[in-house]
Amino acid sequence: MNSLRNRIASLLKRVAMIEGLSGQDLRGQDWSGVDLSGTDLRNTNFYYANLSGADLRGANLRNADLRSANLKGANLKGANLEGANLWGANLIGADLRGANLEGAKLVRAMTHKANFVGATYNSKTLFSYSAPYDRFPQSQKKVMVKK
C-alpha cells in the first residue's frame, strides 16, 4: 500500500511540474506526505486541505489560500509564502526555515514547535487580529528576519 502511495505521489509531482497546479482549487484534498518541492502553487486554494508531512521545500505558494490547512510536520524550508493566507492553519512541527512570510496572514495559526529560523516577514505580515506579534510566541519571532 505504501509503495502504491509513493508511486502515486511521484506521478502527482511530475504532473504538477509539467502542468502546474498554480491557481487550482484543491480545497479539502489529501496531499499528506506528497513531494511538491519546488512546485509552482501560486494562488492555489488549499482551504482545509491535508498537507501534513508534505515536502514543500522551495515551493512557490505566493497568495495561496491555506486557511485551516493541516501542515503539521510539513517541510516548507525556503518556500515562498508571500501574501499567503494561513489563517487557522496547523503548522505544528512544520519547518519554515528561510521561508518568505512577507505579507502572509498567520492569524490564529498553530505554530507550536514550528521552526522559523531565518524566515522573513515585513510590516504587512499579520500575526494576530490587532498588532503584529500578539499571540505569536516570542521565541519564534526572535529567530525571524524583518525586511
Side-chain angles (χ1 to χ4, degrees):
M1 183 68 172
N2 203 19
S3 175
L4 177 61
R5 182 167 172 79
N6 289 339
R7 283 187 279 159
I8 291 170
S10 178
L11 179 61
L12 285 172
K13 179 168 182 176
R14 278 187 250 149
V15 169
M17 297 301 277
I18 296 166
E19 298 292 325
L21 293 173
S22 179
Q24 298 298 311
D25 186 355
L26 305 174
R27 69 183 127 181
Q29 293 186 16
D30 185 6
W31 294 84
S32 58
V34 174
D35 181 358
L36 293 169
S37 57
T39 304
D40 184 3
L41 300 166
R42 287 172 295 142
N43 303 304
T44 300
N45 184 354
F46 282 113
Y47 179 66
Y48 266 105
N50 183 4
L51 293 153
S52 61
D55 185 352
L56 294 157
R57 285 174 295 140
N60 186 357
L61 289 149
R62 183 177 184 171
N63 296 319
D65 184 353
L66 292 155
R67 289 173 299 145
S68 300
N70 182 3
L71 290 150
K72 184 176 184 178
N75 187 345
L76 292 148
K77 188 175 180 182
N80 180 11
L81 290 153
E82 182 179 353
N85 190 348
L86 293 139
W87 190 95
N90 180 351
L91 293 166
I92 295 172
D95 186 352
L96 291 111
R97 288 178 289 168
N100 177 1
L101 296 167
E102 296 176 34
K105 296 170 190 75
L106 291 151
V107 177
R108 291 198 174 180
M110 295 170 272
T111 61
H112 182 68
K113 294 189 178 181
N115 189 342
F116 287 94
V117 172
T120 59
Y121 68 99
N122 61 15
S123 60
K124 294 180 181 178
T125 305
L126 298 178
F127 295 101
S128 75
Y129 285 118
S130 52
Y133 313 123
D134 291 352
R135 298 186 193 158
F136 199 77
Q138 194 64 30
S139 60
Q140 290 175 335
K141 288 180 279 186
K142 284 194 291 188
V143 297
M144 297 175 75
V145 179
K146 185 171 184 179
K147 293 235 173 170

